[in-house]
Amino acid sequence: MKILIGGGSGFVGRELTRLLISKGHEVTVVSRQPGPGNITWSDVESKGLPPCEGAVNLTGENLMNPLRWWNESYKKDLFSSRIDTTRTLAQAIAASPNPPHSWVLVSGVACYKPSLTAEYTEDSEWAPFDLLSRLVKEWEAAALLPQEVANTTRQVVIRPGRFIHICMFYIWTHMIIMIRQDMTDTVPPSPLSPLGAVLGRDGGAMKQMWLPFWLGLGGTLGSGRQPFPWIHVSDLAGIIAHSLEPPTPDTSSDSPQVLNGVAPALNNNYEFTKELGRVMRRPTLLPVPGFAMNALLGSERAVVLTQGQKVIPRRTLETGYQYKFPDLTSALEEIVGR
């Protein structure tokens, strides 16, 4: 198959590209800059959708960009980078004389209201309750295809644990904390580790957590009781690839099929932190208080780290997808290399 990937040069996009090529598929990436195997968003807008059997959108401004303050301009970019690119691909699919048989949007679990007890499946009803849930609502709405196109193009929405690509975010946060320590003579909390993450060796959450945990600076966030929806990057790429397969009569529908792209294991932040410390043979004794994250990030953004949801991939399992890394131990040991 020929597959088009919006945002294919990122952490998940690279893993997905490797997987698809290994299966014999041909991949074209949509990015801001032209290059070998790439087309630009301007190309899609002006020339339409190139011939393809499947399309995926992974594009979006980094929620934890360490170089930007949490303000209205940043919030606007979070929305536009996701909604505009998704709408561009959806409109190109609708206008194509030969639309793909599968159209996959990767959004997020921020649609589910944080709770220590509630469990969410793909059938759980929800309504926007804060900024990020409103973003998911508008994001997924932008992907909807007209009825006549939806009859032939399968629509899939995958909601993984939140993407938190914060390589420099730890350094940035630690520097700010150290400066404030010098000014206020208070004890600094540790660098942050993400709540709900895509895990892998070459990027994503683990790349950001590696150094602070290796130095023995890892610790829980806030109470540590908040649920921690996570997935290994190989499994997220696998679920996307599985969704790109030609639809069968039992999967055909003119409504989007929602899949929770999380591991079947239910863990909280404390369990993740302690297991990562165990696998790396490092202590995890420096917790990060919630008020510090609120002060540094703004409460709307800090909620990604201080709260979480119990997300169950019921329909994902029903599709027949077989997880390579269904539990934290197997995922972390593969990443750490033990």
Side-chain angles (χ1 to χ4, degrees), residues 274-295:
K274 293 304 177 184
E275 184 61 15
L276 179 56
R278 186 192 69 80
V279 171
M280 295 186 68
R281 299 188 177 93
R282 290 294 185 272
T284 53
L285 304 176
L286 298 176
V288 184
F291 72 83
M293 288 181 283
N294 287 333

Side-chain angles (χ1 to χ4, degrees), residues 128-151:
F129 56 89
D130 65 359
L131 179 78
L132 296 181
S133 59
R134 182 164 62 85
L135 169 58
V136 174
K137 186 74 172 182
E138 296 183 23
W139 192 2
E140 294 183 0
L144 292 174
L145 300 175
Q147 183 70 44
E148 62 274 15
V149 181
N151 288 333

Side-chain angles (χ1 to χ4, degrees), residues 170 190-197 199 206 209 212-214 216-230 267-288 293 305 328-329 332 336:
Y170 285 109
S190 68
L192 307 180
S193 60
L195 167 65
L199 308 178
M206 283 303 304
M209 287 185 284
F213 269 77
W214 183 255
L217 300 176
T220 56
L221 302 179
S223 69
R225 296 171 56 224
Q226 65 271 33
F228 185 96
W230 64 273
N267 300 105
N268 60 30
N269 179 261
Y270 175 85
E271 291 167 341
F272 173 83
T273 302
K274 293 304 177 184
E275 184 61 15
L276 179 56
R278 186 192 69 80
V279 171
M280 295 186 68
R281 299 188 177 93
R282 290 294 185 272
T284 53
L285 304 176
L286 298 176
V288 184
M293 288 181 283
L305 304 175
L328 267 179
T329 299
L332 293 176
V336 174

Side-chain angles (χ1 to χ4, degrees), residues 77-289:
D77 288 346
L78 287 176
F79 275 68
S80 62
S81 64
R82 288 164 171 79
I83 295 169
D84 292 351
T85 56
T86 298
R87 185 178 292 117
T88 293
L89 284 178
Q91 291 176 345
I93 291 170
S96 174
N98 296 295
H101 58 64
S102 297
W103 160 224
V104 180
L105 173 68
V106 179
S107 58
V109 297
C111 58
Y112 304 125
K113 195 169 186 177
S115 172
L116 295 178
T117 57
E119 295 184 353
Y120 298 101
T121 71
E122 293 89 346
D123 293 321
S124 298
E125 295 184 0
W126 65 279
F129 56 89
D130 65 359
L131 179 78
L132 296 181
S133 59
R134 182 164 62 85
L135 169 58
V136 174
K137 186 74 172 182
E138 296 183 23
W139 192 2
E140 294 183 0
L144 292 174
L145 300 175
Q147 183 70 44
E148 62 274 15
V149 181
N151 288 333
T152 57
T153 298
R154 178 190 181 199
Q155 303 176 86
V156 181
V157 173
I158 299 174
R159 296 171 180 161
R162 302 180 185 93
F163 292 83
I164 308 175
H165 302 298
I166 45 176
C167 280
M168 293 188 63
F169 174 64
Y170 285 109
I171 301 173
W172 171 70
T173 304
H174 197 55
M175 288 175 63
I176 292 176
I177 293 172
M178 292 302 291
I179 291 171
R180 291 186 178 183
Q181 181 195 19
D182 291 340
M183 294 174 62
T184 63
D185 197 31
T186 58
V187 178
S190 68
L192 307 180
S193 60
L195 167 65
V198 179
L199 308 178
R201 290 187 181 186
D202 301 325
M206 283 303 304
K207 186 173 182 180
Q208 289 82 43
M209 287 185 284
W210 191 274
L211 180 59
F213 269 77
W214 183 255
L215 295 175
L217 300 176
T220 56
L221 302 179
S223 69
R225 296 171 56 224
Q226 65 271 33
F228 185 96
W230 64 273
I231 188 169
H232 193 287
V233 66
S234 295
D235 280 319
L236 180 54
I239 293 170
I240 298 172
H242 190 63
S243 300
L244 287 168
E245 294 297 325
T248 58
D250 60 314
T251 59
S252 297
S253 172
D254 56 9
S255 299
Q257 180 186 43
V258 175
L259 301 176
N260 285 335
V262 296
L266 294 177
N267 300 105
N268 60 30
N269 179 261
Y270 175 85
E271 291 167 341
F272 173 83
T273 302
K274 293 304 177 184
E275 184 61 15
L276 179 56
R278 186 192 69 80
V279 171
M280 295 186 68
R281 299 188 177 93
R282 290 294 185 272
T284 53
L285 304 176
L286 298 176
V288 184

